[in-house]
Amino acid sequence: MKSFTLHTEGLMCHNCEAKAESALLAVAGVVDAEADHETNTVQVSCEDDVAADALSDAVEEAGYRVTSVEEA
């Protein structure tokens, strides 16, 4: 298992959190995603073969900007 923290722009409310989380959970291998609009971050747990780019792409396709990704 791997964990990532995605730093984002544009998460404004609980609905935004839910939209970003749903987009990430649709990525094959993602086990959990928890977005926080107050800190503009998303915590993601996923299988080892999931690439950070796939996570960023999913969030950006949902309408939010990813400014950086940290692997825990």
Side-chain angles (χ1 to χ4, degrees):
M1 286 286 260
K2 291 196 288 192
S3 296
F4 292 95
T5 300
L6 282 67
H7 298 271
T8 65
E9 291 179 352
L11 295 177
M12 303 287 191
C13 63
H14 295 293
N15 288 334
C16 294
E17 292 173 351
K19 187 174 177 183
E21 291 168 357
S22 292
L24 285 162
L25 291 170
V27 175
V30 171
V31 176
D32 189 40
E34 289 189 32
D36 184 339
H37 73 277
E38 292 180 7
T39 61
N40 267 310
T41 59
V42 185
Q43 303 296 323
V44 182
S45 298
C46 56
E47 300 296 328
D48 289 336
D49 61 343
V50 176
D53 288 344
L55 303 176
S56 293
D57 289 348
V59 171
E60 292 189 357
E61 287 175 17
Y64 308 100
R65 183 167 180 259
V66 175
T67 57
S68 66
V69 178
E70 297 175 17
E71 185 171 354

